[in-house]
């Protein structure tokens, strides 16, 4: 596919749009704090993004949509927009788990910080402000396990665990593969806090010692939208600042990650059925009663 791809994700508070070429390379991106205003802001942001790159909707070659899990209203707005564009323009659409793209974005951000710190330590160009200190290559080497934590309703946390690996030689489009290594699930705040706060030093040290042996895999904890005022904070449990910061970096790179995975999906397995594409919810609409909810196993 040589025509441009459009990526849309409204699963989190930070909505994002990205335009990329047919191989998933980002050409332009927009991200904004939508909070509960996805419906009010999405189309204006889309018009601005298309104008920025000099494209019309008819110039697009495919749609990549984040399908969550995420909040009810935001997901409905984003996926409805993506499906309308795909149906109206006759474009292929790929629906991807937002958490899988966040895992890839977190891995890419960690790799970029490592490279910046390595260059700084070697006396090359100055690293960007906030770059991490030099670290063993094993810290960001593939394979890398990423645990993504999202708020889920009034009392829960959604946990998704992925492995990011290099793609086999000869794989078209993307040079990475993101695989779920356990079924995504809902967890209570105490378990989620344990996952978020568990010391990463031991895991990274073990990975460093076993670098090249395949005996250990480095991992990252990534918390998106889990700020102090949310479920963990209200339960008196704290997520380490580093875990929250990785979540912010992952959210900032979500559009680019969706383009990479979406281009690979469309070139490989092919598009999804527009009519069958549904979002995965982890929180109810604003104002819905909070007592006695029943969460479906597939989050729909």
């Amino acid at each position: 596919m040589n025509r441009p791809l459009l990526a849309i994700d409204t699963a989190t508070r930070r909505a994002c749009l990205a335009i990329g070429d047919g191989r998933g390379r980002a050409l332009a991106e927009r991200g904004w704090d939508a909070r509960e205003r996805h419906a009010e802001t999405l189309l204006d942001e889309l018009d601005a993004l298309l104008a920025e790159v000099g494209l019309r909707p008819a110039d697009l070659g495919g749609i990549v949509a984040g399908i969550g899990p995420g909040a009810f209203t935001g997901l409905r707005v984003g996926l409805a927009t993506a499906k309308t564009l795909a149906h109206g323009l006759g474009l292929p659409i790929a629906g991807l788990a937002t958490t899988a793209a966040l895992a890839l974005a977190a891995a890419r951000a960690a790799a970029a910080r490592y490279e910046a710190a390595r260059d700084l330590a070697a006396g090359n160009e100055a690293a960007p402000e906030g770059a991490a200190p030099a670290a063993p290559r094993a810290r960001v080497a593939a394979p890398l396990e990423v645990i993504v934590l999202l708020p889920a309703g009034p009392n829960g946390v959604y946990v998704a665990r992925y492995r990011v690996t290099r793609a086999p030689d000869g794989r078209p489009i993307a040079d990475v593969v993101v695989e779920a290594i356990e079924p995504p699930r809902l967890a209570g705040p105490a378990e989620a806090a344990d996952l978020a706060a568990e010391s990463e030093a031991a895991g990274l040290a073990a990975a460093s010692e076993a670098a090249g042996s395949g005996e250990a895999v480095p991992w990252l904890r990534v918390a998106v939208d889990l700020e102090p005022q949310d479920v963990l904070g209200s339960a008196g449990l704290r997520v380490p600042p580093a875990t929250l910061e990785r979540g912010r970096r992952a959210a900032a790179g979500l559009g680019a990650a969706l383009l990479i995975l979406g281009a690979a999906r469309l070139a490989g397995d092919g598009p999804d059925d527009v009519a069958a594409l549904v979002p995965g919810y982890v929180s109810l609409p604003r104002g819905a009663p909070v007592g006695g909810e029943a969460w479906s196993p597939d989050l729909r």
Side-chain angles (χ1 to χ4, degrees), residues 5 34 53 56 90 130 214:
L5 296 178
V53 293
R56 304 166 300 162

Side-chain angles (χ1 to χ4, degrees), residues 163-232:
R163 178 169 294 174
V164 181
T165 61
R166 292 190 179 92
D169 291 343
R171 178 185 173 93
I173 308 297
D175 60 357
V176 293
V177 176
V178 181
E179 299 175 302
I181 59 177
E182 70 177 19
R185 57 190 175 84
L186 291 165
E191 179 191 1
D194 287 342
L195 284 172
E198 185 177 344
S199 172
E200 297 189 8
L204 294 173
S208 178
E209 292 174 4
S213 69
E215 297 177 0
V217 175
W219 41 262
L220 299 174
R221 305 289 199 232
V222 176
V224 179
D225 283 355
L226 282 174
E227 301 295 348
Q229 68 270 23
D230 291 321
V231 59
L232 293 184

